[in-house]
Amino acid sequence: MDAPVPDFTERPEDPFALHRAASAMLDDQGGVVGWSERAEALLGHPSQEVLGRRADAFLVPRDDRGAVADAVAAARRDAGWSGILPVLHRDGRRVELGFRVRAVARGDAAREWFVAAAPAAEVVQWEIDRSVLDGLFRRSPIGLAVHAPDLSILRINRAIAGISRRPAAAHRGLRMEDFLIGPDVATIEERLRRVLRTGEPLIFTEQPCRLRLDPGHERVVSVSAFRMQDRSGTVLGVTQLVEDVTDRHRAQRRLAVLNRASARIGTTLDVDQTAGELAEVAVPDLADAVSVDLLEPVVHGQDPARGTPVGVCRAAVRSVVTAALEVMYPVGEAFRFEAGTPQARCLAERQPVLEPDLTGSTGWHVQDPERSKAALRLGAHSLIVVPLAARGQVLGLVSLWRAERPEPFEEDDLVLAQDFAARAAVCIDNARRYTQEHHGALTLQESLLPRELPRQLAVEAAHRYLPADPAAGVGGDWFDVIPVSSARVALVVGDVVGHGLHAAATMGRLRTAVHTLAALDLAPDEVLSHLDDLVNRLAEEQESAAGGPQSPQVIGATCLYAVYDPVSRRCTLARAGHLPPAVVGPDGGMSLPDLPAGPPLGLGGLPFETAELELAEGSLLALYTDGLLEAHSRDIDEGLALLGEALEQPQRPLEELCEAAVDALLPVHPRDDVALLLARTRALPSESVASWELPAEPAAAAQAREVTAATLTEWGLEELAFTAELVVSELVTNAYRYGGTPITLRLIRDRSLICEVSDPSSTAPHLRRAHSTDEGGRGLLLVAQLTERWGARHTRDGKTVWTELLLPVAAPG
């Protein structure tokens, strides 16, 4: 059975279509022997007027006969002619028409001419369209493929033929799977079927593809497609335009990688974190695996060594292949790159290294042959090594590997790797510098604040210190626990105005001054008076240096100074513009003692007053700075209420109480420096203290020796009796000679044996060098040699000279 003949319809754009063009038949002498209705309609001459007449007699304008004669000669020579000529309309108008003339042979050897004509404008447009179509198939750089409804190829242009490396005619009947590999074929065909099914065009859709002729090179193409159909709506197929946009896609990808690198690298000032962010950006955007190695000094925040070979430390690794992580050195491992490896060359020359084909390269095997073989088995085939350099210093390097993607690294990839490595290097250097400065700040903090509280038996203490600037690590607040004479302890909390390193430096000077003044056994109000003078002098020093670099002025500081005596259980306090302490009794009730406020340090010339409290054993004394109470912009009363709730169980461990207070009162990042010092009071038992009032007579020294020996025997300290008798004898003798009455002797058994002699005189004793002819003056020198420490302090009623003797190792207490 014969196949049906398809019903093709003429395109309406064709001006020479049978139903659009005017047609005529001429004999060999130019006589009209046939005239169509379309010719009559186009030129106005009815057929009965023109049949039998010569065409040049009524159609050719006089001025154009030369052009017509040339066309006739060309037609006779070539048996045909096409072009544009002017003709006359029946009404005399000059009309330009496009002509197609062909010779028609008859059996008697006579020749006739078939002439088809159409308006010149339509013919010109038609020729332009045909030229465009011809250009698309013969000269266009954009690929053009015409597919049948079953997606077999009907026709392609020269651009696609050049890519496939076979003649255009040889493509007819083939399919895309004959040229492309992988899942790209299914993706493209699905999209073309959707265009055939819906009629919706596909516009500039990008997708990767690989040619069977070059499977190792990935291309990116932009595909547009439209459905072909005739005037009746019959679908004839689909045409797709394919443009190779690989270079543009790579440029866009480079920009995208750089943008991601800018946004994701350097989010913290941590060297290891920054190296990890660098690895995350590189994989999988650029490489299948990456390792970041930093010079060992850089990891620790130090400047990289110059001119000397140093080891590296693996800072980060990342891979799309999990097994590759087992082949690579792990994070944290320190090692050296062997000479001759790409990494060693990169560090030595400070230049990137590109190894496009590892299978033909041997230098990289030197580092670890076994690991290298394992990497090849996993598919590693290409390597880029880029130095991490910033501000003229090489900080390390980054190694990028390809294994999953078949295409090797190229020069464009090397440029991209250098770009984001340069950005990452600046971030790593910033993190390194921060680490260096942070270590310096921590060192300063350790030198300014007590690393651990000193050993003493008067109180049990715990503390918290939180600077407002966590990056600097220090601030202007401080605290201290300072043992002073006679088993007493000084508790100090202060707050310098301002934050950061300048406030910390000022705080360090004030803290040093407090230690010096505490060693002099001055009363709390006297200590604050001396601190007030010091702050004024510091301000004057800065004002006098105003011609140099500007620095923040010391406006002032506040301070609370308290001395607790475990023998009497009395606490003497004075404050300079500071918040009063909170006292929590053993029952959990909190109170604020009524202390004279005193002016802040730095105002100058104003007095400070002391107050005295008697504390039950086990009382909790909380000293703090205003940053603890005023966090979250709350008022002080609300802060005190929260503090009371946190400390309402004073028997809990002090570390837990500190933690509870911080959790209840402070946010994660306080806006002000915070210092908190908790002290739970102890009391020396009465059996550890002995006191006598001695008469002002020569026998006082003998009596002092007698009661001292008896007491030490009772305490089990007979080993100290001889030394202690000599000491108290000398101190009592001096009091009798120079001090007056009454004379008081007190022995205290604490961590050491404390001997005190008090008298009403305000004259303090001092050491002097006695001459060989002197009969006296050697007593205090003897005391200083026999005791661990000695000193004198002024009291309201005179003075007290005290000494400390170390207890024997096995002594009670």
Side-chain angles (χ1 to χ4, degrees):
M1 182 175 178
D2 295 334
V5 177
D7 181 17
F8 291 109
T9 59
E10 297 179 352
R11 301 295 295 172
E13 293 84 358
D14 186 356
F16 294 106
L18 293 178
H19 300 289
R20 287 174 57 92
S23 59
M25 290 294 294
L26 304 180
D27 60 20
D28 202 35
Q29 286 72 41
V32 178
V33 295
W35 192 257
S36 69
E37 293 180 358
R38 179 61 178 156
E40 181 179 345
L42 189 62
L43 297 176
H45 298 284
S47 57
Q48 60 270 22
E49 292 183 2
V50 299
L51 290 175
R53 298 176 60 187
R54 288 178 59 88
D56 56 354
F58 64 92
L59 289 178
V60 180
R62 185 182 301 275
D63 296 338
D64 297 317
R65 289 182 176 179
V68 172
D70 293 339
V72 169
R76 291 184 179 278
R77 182 183 68 246
D78 301 327
W81 177 86
S82 63
I84 297 176
L85 288 175
V87 295
L88 287 175
H89 193 274
R90 189 170 185 274
D91 61 9
R93 287 185 291 112
R94 190 170 179 269
V95 179
E96 288 192 346
L97 297 179
F99 289 91
R100 285 185 180 179
V101 180
R102 291 292 181 268
V104 178
R106 289 190 176 276
D108 55 2
R111 200 166 53 166
E112 292 183 350
W113 301 89
F114 177 74
V115 180
E122 295 182 10
V123 173
V124 170
Q125 184 62 50
W126 172 250
E127 292 297 335
I128 291 175
D129 293 345
R130 289 177 60 83
S131 177
V132 170
L133 185 62
D134 181 71
L136 286 175
F137 279 98
R138 296 179 182 276
R139 288 175 290 277
S140 173
I142 299 176
L144 181 67
V146 182
H147 297 265
D150 64 353
L151 298 185
S152 62
I153 296 175
L154 297 176
R155 186 179 181 184
I156 65 166
N157 68 349
R158 289 183 177 179
I160 291 184
I163 295 175
S164 65
R165 302 177 190 174
R166 64 175 68 185
H171 291 75
R172 186 175 182 86
L174 300 179
R175 304 183 68 87
M176 283 181 288
E177 62 187 19
D178 296 317
F179 311 102
L180 305 180
I181 63 174
D184 306 325
V185 175
T187 302
I188 296 177
E189 289 188 345
E190 172 58 30
R191 289 173 175 171
L192 294 182
R193 289 191 182 96
R194 185 167 59 246
V195 173
L196 284 170
R197 185 174 62 253
T198 65
E200 296 180 2
L202 188 67
I203 301 175
F204 298 131
T205 301
E206 294 186 1
Q207 71 172 69
C209 68
R210 286 187 174 90
L211 298 176
R212 290 188 177 276
L213 294 174
D214 187 13
H217 185 255
E218 183 183 65
R219 298 172 180 264
V220 178
V221 295
S222 174
V223 179
S224 298
F226 59 90
R227 187 171 70 183
M228 300 182 299
Q229 59 190 54
D230 60 16
R231 296 180 66 182
S232 65
T234 302
V235 175
L236 303 176
V238 60
T239 297
Q240 64 169 335
L241 291 87
V242 182
E243 181 182 5
D244 189 339
V245 294
T246 304
D247 292 338
R248 184 181 72 192
H249 178 77
R250 288 180 177 177
Q252 292 174 343
R253 187 183 66 180
R254 285 197 295 270
L255 289 176
V257 171
L258 290 176
N259 287 336
R260 283 194 293 273
S262 300
R264 295 170 57 185
I265 299 177
T267 58
T268 67
L269 288 174
D270 181 85
V271 172
D272 294 332
Q273 179 69 25
T274 304
E277 293 167 347
L278 167 58
E280 291 177 1
V281 170
V283 175
D285 290 334
L286 180 59
D288 297 322
V290 65
S291 61
V292 181
D293 302 307
L294 301 178
L295 301 183
E296 287 185 308
V298 174
V299 176
H300 302 295
Q302 303 170 5
D303 292 332
R306 291 179 176 271
T308 58
V310 295
V312 298
C313 182
R314 179 60 49 90
V317 294
R318 191 173 180 87
S319 175
V320 296
V321 182
T322 305
L325 299 178
E326 300 177 1
V327 175
M328 305 168 73
Y329 289 129
V331 173
E333 182 166 342
F335 57 94
R336 291 176 181 268
F337 286 112
E338 298 293 335
T341 60
Q343 289 83 355
R345 299 204 315 268
C346 177
L347 288 177
E349 301 171 6
R350 299 189 175 191
Q351 294 295 326
V353 177
L354 171 61
E355 293 281 358
D357 184 10
L358 292 179
T359 58
S361 174
T362 58
W364 72 290
H365 293 167
V366 177
Q367 182 67 29
D368 193 324
E370 293 302 321
R371 291 179 184 267
S372 300
K373 293 177 182 178
L376 288 176
R377 287 194 296 269
L378 291 173
H381 61 83
S382 191
L383 168 67
I384 286 178
V385 183
V386 183
L388 293 170
R391 301 180 177 96
Q393 294 180 319
V394 174
L395 309 175
L397 54 83
V398 54
S399 302
L400 303 115
W401 312 78
R402 275 191 179 168
E404 293 292 293
R405 278 181 279 189
E407 62 270 15
F409 284 119
E410 300 176 348
E411 289 295 333
D412 287 347
D413 300 313
L414 181 62
V415 173
L416 175 59
Q418 286 180 277
D419 286 342
F420 78 76
R423 300 189 183 200
V426 173
C427 296
I428 290 175
D429 192 50
N430 290 339
R432 177 193 67 81
R433 290 167 177 259
Y434 164 76
T435 301
Q436 189 177 49
E437 294 177 1
H438 188 60
H439 286 169
L442 292 179
T443 301
L444 175 62
Q445 179 188 28
E446 291 177 355
S447 65
L448 294 179
L449 295 174
R451 297 187 182 181
E452 58 182 25
L453 299 180
R455 296 178 58 190
Q456 43 77 40
L457 298 181
V459 297
E460 176 190 359
H463 64 87
R464 286 293 183 275
Y465 175 76
L466 300 172
D469 183 4
V474 292
D477 292 7
W478 88 94
F479 63 91
D480 247 320
V481 176
I482 308 172
V484 292
S485 63
S486 303
R488 298 171 305 145
V489 64
L491 306 174
V492 190
V493 168
D495 183 359
V496 174
V497 175
H499 307 292
L501 290 176
H502 179 78
T506 304
M507 173 269 286
R509 301 176 75 173
L510 294 180
R511 179 173 178 259
T512 301
V514 170
H515 273 261
T516 302
L517 297 172
L520 297 176
D521 263 337
L522 298 179
D525 57 337
E526 294 183 55
V527 170
L528 295 182
S529 295
H530 286 291
L531 289 179
D532 183 54
D533 294 338
L534 175 60
V535 172
N536 285 326
R537 287 196 298 273
L538 293 177
E540 291 174 359
E541 289 177 4
Q542 291 185 352
E543 290 175 1
S544 64
Q550 295 296 317
S551 59
Q553 295 293 309
V554 177
I555 300 176
T558 64
C559 184
L560 172 63
Y561 188 91
V563 177
Y564 173 70
D565 187 347
V567 177
S568 63
R569 294 184 290 104
R570 303 192 71 80
C571 184
T572 306
L573 310 94
R575 61 186 180 123
H578 203 86
L579 295 172
V583 178
V584 182
D587 59 353
M590 190 183 80
S591 63
L592 298 177
D594 185 15
L595 300 182
L601 300 176
L603 295 183
L606 298 177
F608 299 96
E609 300 181 48
T610 61
E612 198 169 70
L613 306 174
E614 183 172 345
L615 302 176
E617 184 177 4
S619 297
L620 194 64
L621 199 61
L623 287 72
Y624 46 83
T625 55
D626 57 2
L628 180 69
L629 302 184
E630 296 176 354
H632 295 297
S633 302
R634 69 169 71 91
D635 58 36
I636 292 180
D637 291 338
E638 183 181 357
L640 287 171
L642 292 174
L643 179 62
E645 294 176 3
L647 304 179
E648 63 183 359
Q649 296 179 350
Q651 296 80 18
R652 293 172 60 190
L654 291 186
E655 289 294 332
E656 293 184 10
L657 290 176
C658 282
E659 203 65 33
V662 169
D663 291 343
L665 290 154
L666 294 180
V668 176
H669 300 294
R671 291 181 298 176
D672 194 9
D673 301 329
V674 175
L676 170 65
L677 177 62
L678 297 182
R680 182 182 288 129
T681 62
R682 296 184 176 123
L684 284 180
S686 58
E687 59 269 19
S688 295
V689 181
S691 179
W692 303 271
E693 187 170 316
L694 303 175
E697 59 185 33
Q703 183 180 352
R705 290 194 297 272
E706 181 180 349
V707 298
T708 297
T711 302
L712 294 184
T713 300
E714 181 182 349
W715 287 348
L717 300 177
E718 295 88 347
E719 294 182 34
L720 292 179
F722 178 76
T723 304
E725 288 181 44
L726 288 177
V727 170
V728 299
S729 178
E730 179 60 33
L731 296 183
V732 169
T733 300
N734 283 345
Y736 162 68
R737 290 180 177 177
Y738 310 111
T741 57
I743 299 173
T744 302
L745 170 65
R746 186 169 70 164
L747 301 180
I748 302 173
R749 182 180 60 181
D750 190 38
R751 293 175 51 247
S752 60
L753 177 64
I754 301 170
C755 304
E756 294 182 347
V757 174
S758 302
D759 63 62
S761 172
S762 59
T763 302
H766 62 278
L767 289 175
R768 69 183 182 88
R769 181 178 297 276
H771 297 286
S772 58
T773 57
D774 291 344
E775 295 183 0
R778 299 177 178 83
L780 284 181
L781 181 60
L782 179 63
V783 169
Q785 295 298 316
L786 293 176
T787 61
E788 181 69 17
R789 294 195 309 153
W790 77 279
R793 66 176 180 271
H794 292 280
T795 65
R796 293 179 181 179
D797 302 324
K799 70 175 182 297
T800 296
V801 182
W802 54 269
T803 66
E804 291 185 6
L805 295 171
L806 291 180
L807 297 181
V809 175

